[in-house]
Amino acid sequence: MHLEAQILEMHAITNDVYSMTLQCPGVADSAQPGQFVHVAVAQPGSTDPLLRRPLSICDADRSKGTVELVFRIVGRGTRLLAGRQASERIDLMGPIGTGFRRPRPGRVPLVVAGGIGIAPLHFLCRALLSVGVSPYVIAGFSTRSDMILVDRLVRYGAKVQVITEDGSFGLAGKVTEYIERAAQEINSHSHGEVELYACGPLGMINSVREWCLETGVFGQVSLESRMACGTGACLGCVLRVITASGEERYERVCVDGPVFDVRRIVTC
Amino acid sequence: MSCTVDARVDLSVDIAGVKLKNPVMVASGTFGFGTEYAAYMDVSRLGAIVTKGLTLQPRTGNPPPRIWETPAGMLNSIGLQNPGIDAYLEHHLPALRAFKVPVIANVCGDTVKEYAEIARRLECHEGADAIEVNISCPNVERGGIAFGSDPRSAVAVVEAVKRATSLPVIVKLTPNVTDIAEIARACEGAGADALSLVNTLLGMAIDIYRMRPALGNVFGGLSGPAIRPVAVRMVWQVREAVDLPLIGMGGIASFEDALEFILAGASAVAVGSGTFADPACAIRVIDGIGQYMANNGFERVSHMVGLAHKCR
Ligand SMILES: Cc1cc2nc3c(=O)[nH]c(=O)nc-3n(C[C@H](O)[C@H](O)[C@H](O)COP(=O)(O)OP(=O)(O)OC[C@H]3O[C@@H](n4cnc5c(N)ncnc54)[C@H](O)[C@@H]3O)c2cc1C
Ligand SMILES: Cc1cc2nc3c(=O)[nH]c(=O)nc-3n(C[C@H](O)[C@H](O)[C@H](O)COP(=O)(O)O)c2cc1C
Ligand code: FES
């Protein structure tokens, strides 16, 4: 779907992270956790910057027909987007991509979020809770003032453990240092087998991958890549993956992903 | 908006015997094999679809990163990733044909022989309505210099493809040459039925935070509005050098951009990177050209082709 959506609400969550809520029932209706929208950031009629920016669906409310995006300003495109205001319209394509698969019955989802990577996982957690599955979330931020979406997840009923690199909130260190402990806690409490879901910086993804391969835990990770078309046409966003038969090949993050089975990714 | 802005306006064009209902195509490599964009626009309205570059064998393409944005443009180093001619014929062609839009197969080879063999297979499997020969590829037998930057290599490819097929042969010129008119004349002499121009301009970017080339392949092709003035200039020069129909492209993002190419001498145009910014770009261009013709009293596209040369 390609459409113009009205911005219903726009506000800063931290000093560089923004939340944008859009009126777009078409997207809200079909959005699946892990999918993204491809957003035009240039002023209408301008071709600079030329390319759209992929942003995960952080929340979708079917009854209201709304979709929420949560993004961090890291460059020109996201800065332009942060300058947009409620009641303006933005041009977007979506929902796009292959999202997260639900955990198998009886499995406990362990959700590992690094920084802004919590955006697609927020939508995942809401979807899981709505079908009676309680995720265990470990969310890492560099410092307390960067913490986002945690209060909301707690309110919906998710169990959330915050980790900050400087120890200013929750436990101190990196999320990846706490995966093993969280998995053990889940095992001792619910005796359910764990399935892992992750999104975050590359270093974190690599550690998550290693942990999954070592323990045999099934994991799904949402990956990033620079994109042009967002439709699978240009082959610009590819990453190297391993197929079931053991060969390596390039797959498109935009449509084959952005969520990949962790066993299929090659160290990034 | 409607495509029938005025009953007197006729958008159809004929490029080397291929009848297009309007002069707007989508450029090779920016539209996959047609189906990718079907959820975002009405593909059946296009004048023609040009496929991703096809090679004899499947190609894996270049290592990522493959995309880097530049001012009003982008660099790409996809490197001809494609499933190969046989997989195209078997898996992609049926869906592509279902749009009922002329299909132009873009082809590339390492050697003259390879180009000819792909052309032969396309013809015998009715794999296209015309062949666009991408001569920007490196000539493996001549030290990797692009076929299109050496008139003799270009002639060898065009002659071989012409011998291998009776389909119309469009030769796609590279802008990375000193004198594009010279190459255009050589292709005309070798029997090309039409020319398309331009391919991407060779460029590169440095990622200053990683302190290394931004693209995995180091060099990439620059496209988008940033290159438009260069492309329009080249269409102008080639129009003065040859009598063949020209397909103009390079940075088209609006109908105004497309008209620059037409007035400079292009009989048809192609939208490439503009589709990335707006999937409906080609449709806007079609409608805009129709409206412009109605407003300015042009009944046929051919009446506008190259007009700027006469009004100098
Ligand atoms: C499927 C997907 C979902 C995403 N979801 C979100 C989200 O929900 N919230 C959010 O804040 N960000 C998200 N991103 C990342 C976001 O797309 C980039 O931050 C954005 O495109 C940067 O644009 P810019 O013009 O501001 O930065 P640029 O000036 O283009 O680049 C600035 C910095 O951002 C990095 N960058 C640029 N493009 C990308 C990209 N496509 N992916 C990763 N890093 C990039 C560059 O390496 C550089 O360090 C997502 C990316 C993908 C691929
Ligand atoms: C991602 C990408 C892939 C491309 N692949 C091909 C290709 O396979 N064969 C070819 O002849 N040209 C290819 N091109 C060049 C385009 O067809 C076109 O000539 C060029 O991009 C200029 O037009 P534009 O500025 O409208 O994009 C590619 C361009 C892009 C951006
Ligand atoms: S962005 Fe073009 S194929 Fe993924």
Side-chain angles (χ1 to χ4, degrees), chain B residues 152-232:
Chain B
R152 271 186 309 160
S153 298
V155 164
V157 172
V158 177
E159 284 179 349
V161 171
K162 279 299 287 181
R163 269 195 304 274
T165 180
S166 60
L167 288 169
V169 174
I170 302 162
V171 182
K172 182 161 178 182
L173 305 179
T174 164
N176 304 311
V177 293
T178 317
D179 182 1
I180 196 162
E182 181 194 13
I183 308 279
R185 274 190 294 265
C187 293
E188 183 177 44
D193 299 298
L195 303 177
S196 58
L197 65 160
V198 294
N199 213 314
T200 52
L201 273 74
L202 194 62
M204 79 175 283
I206 306 280
D207 184 335
I208 61 163
Y209 298 106
R210 296 179 186 184
M211 295 164 214
R212 61 183 182 206
L215 296 171
N217 188 51
V218 184
F219 297 157
L222 183 64
S223 64
I227 72 167
R228 196 175 63 241
V230 177
V232 172

Side-chain angles (χ1 to χ4, degrees), chain B residues 258-290:
Chain B
L259 283 158
E260 282 199 53
F261 282 89
I262 292 171
L263 293 166
S267 300
V269 294
V271 174
S273 315
T275 301
F276 301 155
D278 175 12
C281 182
I283 307 298
R284 277 195 290 110
V285 171
I286 296 166
D287 292 336
I289 293 174

Side-chain angles (χ1 to χ4, degrees), chain A residues 1-2 38 40 47-53 76 91 93-96 202 226-240 248-252, chain B residues 29-32 36-37 39-40 52 60-74 78 81-82 223-225 253 273-274 276-280:
Chain A
M1 214 176 311
H2 175 213
H38 210 24
T47 50
D48 190 33
L50 180 67
L51 301 176
R52 290 166 180 266
R53 297 296 188 269
R76 189 169 168 221
D91 178 308
M93 295 163 70
I96 302 175
L202 273 188
R226 287 169 180 276
M227 291 184 184
C229 69
T231 65
C234 77
L235 308 175
C237 64
V238 301
L239 289 181
R240 205 167 251 292
E248 288 194 11
R249 68 154 186 245
Y250 289 126
E251 285 192 3
R252 300 159 297 184
Chain B
T30 63
F31 211 73
E36 292 87 342
Y37 271 99
Y40 301 101
K52 172 67 189 165
T60 48
N62 286 326
R66 292 177 171 184
I67 299 277
W68 190 264
E69 196 174 46
T70 63
M74 60 177 280
I78 310 300
Q81 178 179 340
N82 83 95
S223 64
S273 315
F276 301 155
D278 175 12

Side-chain angles (χ1 to χ4, degrees), chain A residues 55-83:
Chain A
L55 293 175
S56 302
I57 297 170
C58 176
D59 205 359
D61 186 326
R62 278 183 203 176
S63 58
K64 292 191 194 138
T66 59
V67 165
E68 185 188 6
L69 310 177
V70 168
F71 60 92
R72 209 177 121 208
I73 301 180
V74 295
R76 189 169 168 221
T78 42
R79 179 163 298 115
L80 280 166
L81 211 55

Side-chain angles (χ1 to χ4, degrees), chain A residues 204-234:
Chain A
M204 184 198 105
I205 297 289
N206 280 330
S207 307
V208 161
R209 172 179 170 273
E210 269 166 40
W211 183 81
C212 284
L213 295 183
E214 270 166 29
T215 56
V217 167
F218 178 66
Q220 300 176 60
V221 292
S222 179
L223 299 178
E224 295 191 348
S225 169
R226 287 169 180 276
M227 291 184 184
C229 69
T231 65
C234 77

